[in-house]
Amino acid sequence: MSSAVPASPGPSSAPLLRIDARPSAPPAPSADLASVLGKARLILDAFDRENADLSLTELTRRSGVAKASVHRLAGELVEWGLLERAGTKYRLGLRLFELGQLVPRQRILRDAALPYMEDLLLATQETVHFAVREGLDVLYIEKIVGHRGLNENSRVAGRLPLYCTATGKIIMAFSPRSVFDEVAAQGFTALTARTTMSVSVLAHQLERMRRDKLAVEVEETRLGYMSVAVPVFSGHDVLAGALSVTAPTSRLNVSRVTGALRTAGMGISRTLQAMKCHRPDGLANRESTCHPTVCSFNGCGR
């Protein structure tokens, strides 16, 4: 594919990247503090998996918004259902969940992927993920776990870096060169002692993954776990996301799960490629139809 990351220089010409610690709380951009909507966004962004319930004081500290504004806006967000009260604390509201289920990209991909993910779970008895690229992270839009599956370091609507996950690596392998350049410019954070930290090593990994259409990641995000991933396409050379199987390193046999994983990935690709959306005029000509995932990615509104 002409837009994929080309072969990189050898290890001797590419230095190790710096390790950048991610902030524990969202920053408060000054531009956002200038508008009511910006302040509301900062309040909602203050919540994360480890901070699901926050007091008024904690919301003020984590959002960077003045306490009086947080108190007033939090009250309005509760009225709208975007926040809920839990005693003296606040938490995200169910209205956000309802709105999230309406996101076209997530809904279309999840509906197409889920039957094949269930088949893959039955074939492998291991945890199955479907992920898409969001910025320089992978965003998990679906995850199913078998009886012997464990809570690996992932969740639906959760994020992990592109450079150290199997889904992220295979997405990078079939993405434009600019994605690789942005990842290299941002720098790497070591999630474990085995996280890839070299530009040249990552480039060589992507070259091999692009050739094999298969990514294998071993203990780069969590010690004791590994993942295998394949790309999923919604059209000719149009990358939709990645499908993966994750399991304890001691249990996952790559050769055993690869066949079922490839079959499921191709099934999702065929389903997406067969889907069409139409203009309201209902014309069946070539110009009036396109793939719904392309519409949702590009915001054409059909």
Side-chain angles (χ1 to χ4, degrees):
M1 184 180 304
S2 60
S3 61
V5 180
S8 65
S12 61
S13 61
L16 292 178
L17 290 175
R18 64 185 184 280
I19 300 177
D20 296 326
R22 293 189 174 185
S24 58
S30 57
D32 285 335
L33 291 173
S35 71
V36 174
L37 186 59
K39 292 175 183 177
R41 184 187 74 83
L42 291 170
I43 291 171
L44 294 175
D45 279 349
F47 295 90
D48 58 28
R49 192 178 186 182
E50 288 72 35
N51 297 276
D53 297 271
L54 297 172
S55 67
L56 181 63
T57 300
E58 291 168 332
L59 266 179
T60 300
R61 176 180 59 81
R62 288 178 58 82
S63 68
V65 178
K67 190 171 186 177
S69 295
V70 171
H71 182 268
R72 175 175 56 83
L73 290 173
E76 294 184 14
L77 292 171
V78 169
E79 289 182 14
W80 299 338
L82 303 181
L83 289 182
E84 296 175 349
R85 292 300 300 266
T88 60
K89 296 193 174 185
Y90 298 88
R91 62 176 56 151
L92 296 177
L94 281 177
R95 182 57 181 155
L96 286 173
F97 172 77
E98 292 179 292
L99 292 172
Q101 297 304 299
L102 301 177
V103 176
R105 182 182 180 188
Q106 178 269 348
R107 177 172 48 81
I108 292 169
L109 291 175
R110 181 185 180 277
D111 289 349
L114 194 54
Y116 297 96
M117 294 179 69
E118 292 171 346
D119 289 345
L120 185 58
L121 174 65
L122 289 173
T124 65
Q125 297 297 306
E126 304 293 359
T127 301
V128 179
H129 297 93
F130 192 89
V132 297
R133 182 173 73 87
E134 179 65 21
L136 301 184
D137 294 328
V138 286
L139 178 67
Y140 294 98
I141 65 172
E142 188 55 87
K143 171 183 179 179
I144 53 177
V145 183
H147 292 299
R148 64 175 185 172
L150 301 175
N151 286 325
E152 296 87 6
N153 194 25
S154 66
R155 60 185 174 85
V156 175
R159 294 169 178 257
L160 283 171
L162 287 171
Y163 57 82
C164 61
T165 57
T167 49
K169 288 175 189 284
I170 201 68
I171 287 173
M172 286 182 68
F174 289 92
S175 294
R177 170 67 193 231
S178 59
V179 176
F180 177 84
D181 292 340
E182 288 181 50
V183 169
Q186 175 185 256
F188 295 167
T189 298
L191 301 187
T192 74
R194 302 194 66 174
T195 302
T196 298
M197 300 297 291
S198 165
V199 177
S200 62
V201 169
L202 180 60
H204 287 307
Q205 289 176 349
L206 299 184
E207 182 180 2
R208 182 180 66 254
M209 292 169 183
R210 186 164 54 251
R211 182 187 66 240
D212 298 341
K213 290 189 177 181
L214 185 77
V216 178
E217 167 268 308
V218 182
E219 300 186 344
E220 292 197 42
T221 61
R222 183 179 177 183
L223 293 176
Y225 286 87
M226 64 182 294
S227 297
V228 187
V230 295
V232 172
F233 299 93
S234 62
H236 180 65
D237 290 348
V238 180
L239 183 68
L243 180 70
S244 71
V245 172
T246 302
T249 308
S250 60
R251 192 168 71 208
L252 185 58
N253 184 319
V254 174
S255 61
R256 186 180 69 83
V257 302
T258 297
L261 179 60
R262 290 190 190 277
T263 299
M266 289 187 291
I268 299 171
S269 295
R270 284 195 301 269
T271 298
L272 292 173
Q273 291 163 20
M275 296 169 68
K276 298 288 184 181
C277 65
H278 300 266
R279 291 179 181 173
D281 57 23
L283 296 176
N285 58 53
R286 184 187 181 103
E287 290 74 24
S288 68
T289 63
C290 61
H291 295 291
T293 46
V294 176
C295 288
S296 63
F297 294 161
N298 298 333
C300 81
R302 297 183 193 169

